[in-house]
Amino acid sequence: MSYMPQTPQKALPGAYVQTPAHQSQALTQQGQVSQAGAQKTTVEEIPPTARAAKAVNEAFWEESRYPELDSYIGRESRVRSVKVVLIAMVEGISSEYEVSTQSGWAPFQKTKTYPIPDRIFEQYNRAQVSTIMGLFTDFNHAWVAIDNALYLWDYTHPNPDLVSFEDASHTITAVRLVIPRAGVFVPSIVRLLVVATTADIILVGMSAQTASHGGRTVALYSLKMSAPVKGLDVDVIEGSDASGRIFFSGRCSDDVYEFTYQQEEKWFTNRCAKINHTTRGYSTLTPSLFFGQKVQQEHVVQMVIDDSRRLLYTLSSKSTIRTFFMRSNSTVDLVINKPLGQILSNVGHMTSQTELLTPAMKIVSISAITAKEASKTNLVASTSSGCRIFMSATSAYGSSPSSSTAPTSMQVQHVKFPPSGNPAPLQNQSSQSSQLIQYSTTPAVNTSSRALSETRSAVRYAPGYFLTFVVGEQQPGTDLLFVSGPDSARIAQPQIQQTPVKYPELALWISLGSRAEDVGLATGEVSATSSPVGFGNELAVQFDCPTPEIAVLTNTGVHMLRRRRLVDIFAAALRLGGGAEGLEGEVNKFVRRYGRGEVASTALAVACGQAFDVTPDSRLARISDPEVLELARKCFIEYGGKPEYPENSIHDRTNPAIDFVRPSPRHSGMARYISRLLRSIWKAPIVIERQNPTGGFTVSSVVGLGKLQDISQDLIKLREFLTANKSFIEGLAGPEALGNVHSKREEVSLQGEHRALHALAVLIDRFIEGISFVLVLYDEKIEETILSLANEPRQQLRTLSYEGLCTTEVGKLLAKDLVKAIVNRNIVSGSNVETVAEALRRRCGSFCSADDVVIFKAQEFVKRGAAAGADSDVCRDYLNESLRLFKQVAGSLSMEQLQWTIGQYVALQFYAASIQLCLDKANESDRGNRALTWIQEGRPQGDKRSEAFEGRKKCYDLVHQVILSIEGSRTESPDMVDGHLTLSGKRREEAADEIDTADDEVFQTDLYDWYLQSNRADQLLEVESPYVITYLQRRSSDNVAHADLLWRYYVQKERYQDAAVVQLALAKSRFALSLDKRIEYLGNARTNASTSRPGIVRSSRSEILREVSDLLEVANIQSDLVQRLRSDDRITAERRPEVMEELDGAILPLSVLFNTYCEPAFYFDLCILIYEAADHRVGSDIKATWQNLLERAHTTAEELDQGPAPYEMVAESVRSLGNKLGLSETMFPVTELLPMLKRYAHNFQHESGPETWVLDIFIDLQVPFETLYGTLENMFYNDEAPFQGRQRRLVANDIVYIAKMWFQDSMRGSGSPFGGEDNAIAVSQMLHMVMQSGLDERRLEECQNLRMRIENLLR
């Protein structure tokens, strides 16, 4: 049964105009209409938070592409362009420095100096042999070894306590602090103090705690671990942080020893021992020495370890660098020996001869570069002439070694020569000039500068802080410190020109006024990423990580140097740049060097109070000078650039023009600043679940709560800045900004800028509230909150990041679950739900909205009602109030909240309200009623409107549950008692009325579906609703059960003609119905169509009856054919199912039945029935088919071993078919059939059967005797073969028999013979004639008697 589908609606031209989200009215109304006409497809608008998240992620991606060290110091350097990446050949030398002589541009600044305590000087004055000093910057401690005693103190404390180690029996020669091997000592031993004396090497345990004043306190513990080293004169010790291995060497040889230690002694090993790793291996790599040659003893002067590559480097007194590979089996292999001569030979391939790199100079120090910082470069060596030599180690075939493979060779990659000019320490910070020594503009690298020619020692810290201690010429015994760092902002800036970056550095000179003894990094290593690309991006982490500080120990105290961030330098430049008059010059200088986007980001950071400076009293404080903040604000607003709309280059006009706007550098700078504030939390998970040792469950934050509060405060300051300056910032201003546009292009650009900046502003608000929400979570016993979550939300929470929480729909929904869990937990604990909800709304409104507060209030009313008792008036008042509140916020109800509410309502027999609330929620979830149009169009697959229906259906399913609960409640309390309606019955009646009167067609449709799915068809037939017929008509097109219900519904409503129409359609449908079922439908349709009822048009009923009758006739023929074929032996077993499937189904056309089945199968009786049904009146065809029928019946009978005689089968075939044809004159021509049968009987059955069996067939069929008599009379007179001559008597016998039977039939009752006198006279005359044709004696006697009786009657 099928119905024509509705014509799909066409999209209206110009509909759904794309407009920027959350823009001002003026911005959204103008500039869009002209674009709408060009749009052919509707583009879905991206939510502001998603758009802003995309911008922030792009900022993260850009900063993650910060060049790795190898790219700007190696032979090949990548030149980054805006659109392409080029690889250029770079000279392996450079000398680019920007040496600042003014404090404003200084890359480092000296913050304070901590003096050495007087008690140390007292001990120093008692020294007899030696004194050495050093730093343990990890714990803010310094140490001094005086003879055989070691003293430690917290150099940041104004009056520190001394921690001493005086157990050594001999003079201390070296001290080193190392990380112990895991599992050897108790957890409180966080470090090992390795103390070398002239006789032994001793391990001392160290623990550390945080003191009340914020510093660190340490304690030393004797471990009773030592090994003899007498004669080695140990002065170099180094430890591996990763493995805890300890290596050392002395002044007496260049051997490398390892100090091994374990928890307890074993059979063949002591707790402590020393191992020489080089004696055997080194002899194979050292050239033979001639006897008698006097050679100065070479020894190790420095060791460094690179745990990332498992390499140990040593520097010898002859400037030879050796590389050892630390294998996992506690062995160390010498893999590379690099003498100074080879190093100079490598350098010779990069530059011409220079006096700075000669055999006379020495390598004074080496520093390892880890695999995290550079993939190729391994080591940097500092020379006494001030040059830095960067080297890389390679394995076989030139590949970079890994932590599992040892390198085989080492080559020089780059040489950084000293800066030009003479040492010039900083001038007074009060100077109002910001001049600096610019990068050299000379084409050639300066390879002859003597500025660092008296370098005594040097050190390098990642990501490139370089400190060189130069002997002071004017003050003997003192050092000048040259400190430099990479110009990260310039390195990060994409190079538009083709000139590659040559390791630019910012540097300055600092006069220490004393001799440096040790240096250490007082803060953690700066690393933006854990891979070489992006590792050194200091800009990315300048607001996220502590600012690096370096401690320099001299004989007068500990000098602290602070790395100045770009934001600090920019703020100082604004302060010292001449005020508002000099602003343009300073800003342009920054823009040329670092780009407009970076300048906008930095200016915004300064304006938000991110810049720090050292005060005159050596304190570090935020720069809050109003003049500096105002200049930064002005810089961000006026120098932020303009958005671009490349109108002429746009070819795709299907998208809105606003999508092609490139926001201004101000937008990119703002996104960059936001990304730097959120860097540590953006991808960080919100919670980490752990199992504690006792089996308990703990939840902790990956990011410290204090850190979250700091980030939130920074975001709040940013929001306040944007709010205060909204009217001045192009793109954030209101509608008045449109008054300044002069063209359509400017208008579109302004709209794009507004959309981009507004999205970032929305993101800021979202993160402020998101962080506040997380802090609430941790304040509200987060373990209990998480345990109360369902399984799926809890799994989502485990992987939810701050980005996901604040920018995705999943995070929004999960936050609602968490809010609900918090509120529920507080309700259980007895807290007032209103108070809790209001507190949440104030702290994080977007996570707990005003609607959420209303929901919580309504839930509280429900609980109060339950506590009051279901049958009390108070309960009903509470429930009615809760329903009123729920209906106000039905669209904001989550499915879990709705389920909980309906469960409570049903338990309290608040049935009608349950149904109301479910229907309200369904309508709010699909306010456009898209689900109804989807249903009306046949529920197309893959249509997005199906999602609207599924959302509604969840609500309807709850209604079904309410209905089931209502039915179940009848067993507990009846509807009527003593003829009166009970309270429960009244509530059930109210619910039934609510269902019956609901005008939600989608609900009624779903309800009827549910009735049928739950075998409630009878209940559906009882529904009095106009939607029932619409529903059944719609569904009957694809479901026979629904069609059956439709005609049954019509019959029940006494609409018989409509029922007949449905039944006729079912009989003709393509449903998988059997032929018998279709015949049944047609029979019922004929009955219903025949039933007369007032108001039915007779012509319409007659037309239906005619169509039903015709189709029923064809169906009966097809049914006979099916029965015939089912028992036909001529069909193979394989073919039979196929034939049955074709025929026992849809009613086929008569032509198919005749040509395909009946005629080929010799079913001639069915062929004649088909003639009758098709009104085929060609006499020759009919006669031929009858003849074939007789022959086929005869042949079939003869082929049977047992069965009827042939004449019997022929007689039965004719008799059966005659009954079916109803003696049709056309299809059952007696005048043709009688002679045909007589001939058959004469030719084939002459001696078989009764003499009158042919005539008996027609008599049984009640063929009129007059017709039979007339036919026989014609046969007698026509004298046709084979009834000629003597055979005419056979016809004569039949005439006598028929006349006799006719006479007897006509004489019954009061009838006249043969129906009248004329017929009687004619018969009498005919009998007289046949008496002369040679009748047999019996027939002659019958003829005479009959004629006599006729004559008597005629007298």
Side-chain angles (χ1 to χ4, degrees), residues 632-651:
R633 183 193 75 86
K634 187 176 181 181
C635 175
F636 178 74
I637 294 173
E638 297 180 4
Y639 296 91
K642 299 283 186 181
E644 296 182 14
Y645 173 49
E647 184 176 10
N648 297 330
S649 61
I650 297 175
H651 303 291

Side-chain angles (χ1 to χ4, degrees), residues 1300-1321:
K1300 178 182 177 181
M1301 298 299 294
W1302 189 6
F1303 177 78
Q1304 293 175 354
D1305 182 74
S1306 62
M1307 291 304 293
R1308 290 190 181 100
S1310 59
S1312 60
F1314 301 107
E1317 185 177 351
D1318 292 341
N1319 288 342
I1321 295 171

Side-chain angles (χ1 to χ4, degrees), residues 226 233 252 361 384 399 481 491 507 636 678 716 785 863 1057 1122 1318:
S226 63
D233 199 6
C252 299
M361 65 90 186
S384 58
S399 61
L481 172 60
I491 295 172
F636 178 74
L678 301 177
I716 290 172
T785 302
K863 293 178 180 179
Q1057 186 173 342
V1122 170
D1318 292 341

Side-chain angles (χ1 to χ4, degrees), residues 586-746:
E586 292 296 326
V587 171
N588 288 336
K589 191 184 305 181
F590 271 88
V591 169
R592 285 194 303 269
R593 292 158 61 91
Y594 306 135
R596 198 172 293 276
E598 187 60 53
V599 171
S601 174
T602 306
L604 181 60
V606 173
C608 293
Q610 289 286 358
F612 283 82
D613 201 0
V614 178
T615 61
D617 58 349
S618 299
R619 289 185 304 103
L620 189 65
R622 289 184 184 270
I623 295 179
S624 57
D625 185 350
E627 182 180 359
V628 174
L629 300 183
E630 174 59 25
L631 291 174
R633 183 193 75 86
K634 187 176 181 181
C635 175
F636 178 74
I637 294 173
E638 297 180 4
Y639 296 91
K642 299 283 186 181
E644 296 182 14
Y645 173 49
E647 184 176 10
N648 297 330
S649 61
I650 297 175
H651 303 291
D652 181 9
R653 299 289 177 177
T654 59
N655 290 329
I658 194 174
D659 287 346
F660 297 97
V661 174
R662 286 196 294 267
S664 65
R666 181 187 298 106
H667 168 266
S668 64
M670 184 172 166
R672 196 174 301 176
Y673 177 57
I674 294 173
S675 72
R676 291 168 181 174
L677 292 180
L678 301 177
R679 183 179 185 85
S680 60
I681 67 171
W682 184 260
K683 293 294 184 182
I686 292 175
V687 298
I688 292 292
E689 295 184 11
R690 293 186 178 91
Q691 297 291 332
N692 57 33
T694 61
F697 170 73
T698 60
V699 178
S700 59
S701 175
V702 175
V703 182
L705 300 184
K707 175 73 172 177
L708 288 176
Q709 292 172 342
D710 292 342
I711 294 174
S712 179
Q713 289 300 315
D714 290 338
L715 290 174
I716 290 172
K717 290 178 182 177
L718 175 58
R719 181 175 64 181
E720 291 172 350
F721 172 82
L722 295 177
T723 302
N725 296 279
K726 184 177 181 179
S727 59
F728 304 104
I729 299 174
E730 184 176 342
L732 280 183
E736 61 274 9
L738 290 174
N740 299 324
V741 300
H742 301 91
S743 66
K744 182 65 179 178
R745 183 173 183 175
E746 290 183 11

Side-chain angles (χ1 to χ4, degrees), residues 870-871 876 904-911 969 973 983-984 987:
D871 295 331
R876 292 294 134 177
Q904 295 293 316
Y905 279 177
V906 169
L908 299 171
Q909 295 187 355
F910 206 36
Y911 301 128
S969 68
S973 57
L983 180 60
S984 298
R987 292 170 179 171

